Amino acid sequence: MKKIILWASAGLCMAATASAQETQWYLRDKTDSTASISVDRAYRELLANRKPTPVLVAVIDGGIDTSHVDLKSVLWTNPREIPGNGIDDDKNGYVDDIHGWNFIGGKDGRNVSYETVEITRIYNKLRSQYEGKDRKTLKPAQQKEYDLYVKAKNEVTKNQAQYKSQYEGIHGFYTQYAMAVDAIKQALNVPKLDTATLAKALDTLSNAELRRPVGGILQVLRQQGVADAEVMKSELGKYDEQLKTRAEYNYNPDFDSRSIVGDNPDDVNQRNYGNADINGPDPDHGTHVAGIIGADRTNNLGVMGIADAVKIMGVRAVPNGDERDKDIANAIRYAVDNGAQIINMSFGKDYSPQRKAVEDAERYAYSKGVLLIHAAGNDGKDIDTAMNYPAPRFEDGTAVPNVITVGASAEPVNNELVASFSNYGKRDVDVFAPGKEIYSTVPGSKYENNNGTSMASPVVAGVAAVLKSYFPKLTYADIKRIILASATPYHVKVRRPESSTMVDFATLSKTGGVVNLYEAVKLALAEEKSKSGK
């Protein structure tokens, strides 16, 4: 599931007219008080006299806005495919895959938008077999599966009821808030409704009927620490939609969208299904991820990606719900077979019934020397002990060698350095990267701030792309080693995610640090010099 932490952010709709340096804090040089990754310094001081080789990065996600002004110039174009002729020109099994492929679409052009979560699918699969059964009458081999059925049923029933209740509560408030904001803007005849405007109106208005909603909106904004009423409206709207999605689709055992695809979802060996639409109905998440990695750095528009010599391949496999293992396995294979050198995977889930298919695909990527960057997850849990799939370790317990697992950090070097939602793990999270208030591209050639390990992962993918483009001889293993070895270590006390307990930031990941492009390039240069003997 692709998760952006909506309610935690007070700036989802930051003005797109601000300069990249003002909004993309993570690109700046690190200081004693800020954990930025020194992108600009790396280009300015270390890479100015080097010529990069273009690198292909695949983004496995929910879709990418291919018309975005900051992305269209960096999209991968399949050189062996003729656009729109309805023929599989390159004989790779995918017709008209110009910029990538969509594994959650049908041949008729329709697309999956919403999906159930994995536990709902497990419940659906088992309920016809075990509903109404008495555990004591079952054979020992069946009892374990029956126990999973009971667990799944309880989890689905509980979560659907919980999200339905929350949705009903927030939807009423959101509707009233949105109507009030629109009415007040019209009554005051102002283009923007912020706390300053509301406070001034409250001091001067004599109309009691208008003073009441003005005071109410002002109080809400101050309580939430938000300055702009439209920002609050947008964030509430997204939260409202997220709760609706959970209740009506994710945890609804009667919802089924897979028929759109037309495949057999249980056949993990089936490869050639889907369509060529890598936008999909909701490309917000994937567009944001793609911009972090490689938004055009030369056009003076909106934002700058981390990598300046990158092509982005879109592989759509992540719906608004849990991604299916079969689709992720096929997405990895597609990316590898079509030349991707780095794959970003900003998604994750709690259950993986077809885990072997994904692990086989990861091993295939490993055999081809492809580096996978995976978001650690946004549940505030220790993934050394709690599962988050795709897991950083194979089922036999050995580490996946070509994966970097990334937690989310924030800007200040203090007790808030770790993002409060981020998963962590001294053994299984490799490194942290900026993942809070990350400003990047969203559909419609717009820009927003978003939060999540989904944003931290493409920061690392961008760093990996820079290393591969400026040091093309580096292998996946070299790049992974350099990124981890050059991370900036921080020994500050932070609140452990989802807890009030204070711990050393260094205990939350393998490296105890935050990725840094300048330091990574410096290390790559030193190793290059050492190997050349100069």
Side-chain angles (χ1 to χ4, degrees):
M1 180 182 289
K2 53 184 192 290
K3 297 180 184 176
I4 299 176
I5 308 303
L6 299 174
W7 200 237
S9 171
L12 275 171
C13 294
M14 190 176 291
T17 54
S19 74
Q21 275 288 52
E22 290 174 326
T23 55
Q24 292 182 276
W25 65 265
Y26 55 97
L27 299 183
R28 301 174 190 150
D29 299 344
K30 68 177 180 181
T31 67
D32 291 340
S33 60
T34 60
S36 305
I37 70 165
S38 308
V39 172
D40 300 318
R41 185 184 181 195
Y43 281 114
R44 186 176 63 247
E45 296 183 13
L46 302 179
L47 298 173
N49 297 319
R50 297 178 71 96
K51 185 176 180 180
T53 301
V55 170
L56 180 55
V57 177
V59 173
I60 300 177
D61 216 290
I64 296 174
D65 179 5
T66 56
S67 63
H68 198 292
V69 293
D70 247 344
L71 293 177
K72 58 185 179 181
S73 66
V74 300
L75 291 177
W76 170 72
T77 298
N78 186 345
R80 300 171 296 166
E81 197 76 16
I82 300 172
N85 68 353
I87 299 172
D88 181 16
D89 300 290
D90 59 2
K91 302 294 189 295
N92 70 348
Y94 304 98
V95 175
D96 288 337
D97 56 328
I98 304 303
H99 300 301
W101 193 250
N102 171 20
F103 285 99
I104 48 175
K107 292 185 183 300
D108 60 0
R110 293 184 299 155
N111 288 304
V112 171
S113 178
Y114 300 102
E115 242 302 9
T116 50
V117 293
E118 199 66 69
I119 194 66
T120 305
R121 298 195 285 265
I122 292 171
Y123 169 52
N124 275 336
K125 187 174 182 178
L126 296 177
R127 66 173 169 171
S128 61
Q129 185 177 350
Y130 292 108
E131 194 164 24
K133 295 287 180 69
D134 184 344
R135 187 180 190 277
K136 290 181 291 187
T137 66
L138 300 174
K139 296 177 181 179
Q142 293 177 304
Q143 289 180 349
K144 183 177 181 181
E145 197 169 61
Y146 176 84
D147 291 342
L148 177 59
Y149 156 73
V150 172
K151 178 183 179 182
K153 180 181 179 180
N154 291 339
E155 188 172 332
V156 169
T157 303
K158 175 185 175 183
N159 282 327
Q160 187 181 29
Q162 174 185 314
Y163 285 122
K164 184 178 180 181
S165 175
Q166 290 177 353
Y167 171 65
E168 289 171 350
I170 196 67
H171 185 67
F173 175 72
Y174 165 63
T175 302
Q176 292 179 357
Y177 177 89
M179 290 175 61
V181 168
D182 293 342
I184 292 170
K185 282 178 67 177
Q186 185 175 1
L188 298 180
N189 192 27
V190 293
K192 181 181 179 181
L193 202 61
D194 56 19
T195 51
T197 303
L198 288 165
K200 182 178 179 181
L202 200 60
D203 289 339
T204 57
L205 281 173
S206 58
N207 185 331
E209 289 188 7
L210 188 56
R211 282 178 59 85
R212 197 174 301 113
V214 167
I217 296 296
L218 181 60
Q219 182 180 13
V220 169
L221 294 179
R222 285 174 171 170
Q223 286 176 343
Q224 295 297 326
V226 182
D228 191 321
E230 291 290 348
V231 169
M232 185 72 178
K233 179 181 170 182
S234 174
E235 193 166 345
L236 272 172
K238 290 187 177 185
Y239 188 55
D240 178 75
E241 173 63 23
Q242 190 179 75
L243 291 174
K244 179 183 178 181
T245 298
R246 298 284 195 272
E248 296 187 4
Y249 306 114
N250 298 164
Y251 289 98
N252 180 359
D254 298 318
F255 177 71
D256 178 23
S257 60
R258 190 64 184 192
S259 59
I260 290 172
V261 180
D263 69 324
N264 175 4
D266 294 323
D267 182 2
V268 296
N269 296 313
Q270 188 178 10
R271 301 270 187 267
N272 301 328
Y273 60 94
N275 63 45
D277 178 12
I278 69 163
N279 282 59
D282 182 16
D284 189 274
H285 188 273
T287 301
H288 200 270
V289 166
I292 295 168
I293 297 169
D296 195 325
R297 292 183 60 86
T298 64
N299 63 2
N300 295 316
L301 294 173
V303 297
M304 292 189 292
I306 292 170
D308 69 342
V310 67
K311 291 296 179 182
I312 301 291
M313 173 195 292
V315 191
R316 187 168 181 266
V318 187
N320 287 310
D322 276 353
E323 59 281 354
R324 292 177 183 257
D325 294 330
K326 171 186 175 179
D327 298 334
I328 296 305
N330 282 330
I332 292 171
R333 289 179 181 277
Y334 174 88
V336 172
D337 286 342
N338 287 278
Q341 296 149 294
I342 298 161
I343 301 176
N344 186 80
M345 307 195 302
S346 289
F347 52 82
K349 58 183 182 177
D350 297 330
Y351 298 90
S352 182
Q354 296 169 329
R355 179 177 181 177
K356 183 178 182 302
V358 177
E359 293 189 355
D360 285 348
E362 290 175 321
R363 287 187 172 95
Y364 181 66
Y366 168 66
S367 74
K368 301 295 183 179
V370 177
L371 181 63
L372 312 177
I373 316 294
H374 185 224
N378 300 328
D379 302 306
K381 64 187 182 182
D382 182 352
I383 62 171
D384 287 357
T385 55
M387 298 308 298
N388 180 61
Y389 296 100
R393 291 179 176 271
F394 292 126
E395 200 161 6
D396 65 7
T398 60
V400 184
N402 55 324
V403 168
I404 298 178
T405 302
V406 188
S409 56
E411 182 177 10
V413 181
N414 57 25
N415 61 6
E416 296 182 350
L417 176 59
V418 59
S420 61
F421 51 79
S422 181
N423 287 351
Y424 58 95
K426 180 64 176 174
R427 183 190 68 179
D428 287 337
V429 171
D430 291 298
V431 70
F432 276 74
K436 188 174 181 182
E437 296 181 3
I438 303 301
Y439 193 59
S440 184
T441 46
V442 292
S445 292
K446 297 178 181 179
Y447 307 86
E448 287 184 358
N449 264 340
N450 280 326
N451 302 309
T453 57
S454 283
M455 286 63 252
S457 179
V459 168
V460 176
V463 170
V466 172
L467 290 173
K468 186 63 178 176
S469 62
Y470 281 90
F471 305 89
K473 293 181 180 180
L474 292 178
T475 66
Y476 87 85
D478 294 329
I479 294 170
K480 178 176 179 177
R481 175 179 49 76
I482 288 171
I483 287 174
L484 302 193
S486 63
T488 302
Y490 289 102
H491 290 279
V492 294
K493 291 292 184 180
V494 297
R495 292 185 183 87
R496 191 173 64 207
E498 299 297 318
S499 168
S500 59
T501 304
M502 301 299 290
V503 298
D504 190 331
F505 179 79
T507 66
L508 299 178
S509 69
K510 189 178 298 182
T511 61
V514 174
V515 68
N516 187 276
L517 179 61
Y518 179 86
E519 297 298 335
V521 171
K522 189 167 71 170
L523 180 55
L525 285 168
E527 291 189 0
E528 181 182 69
K529 183 178 180 180
S530 175
K531 288 179 181 178
S532 68
K534 295 181 180 178

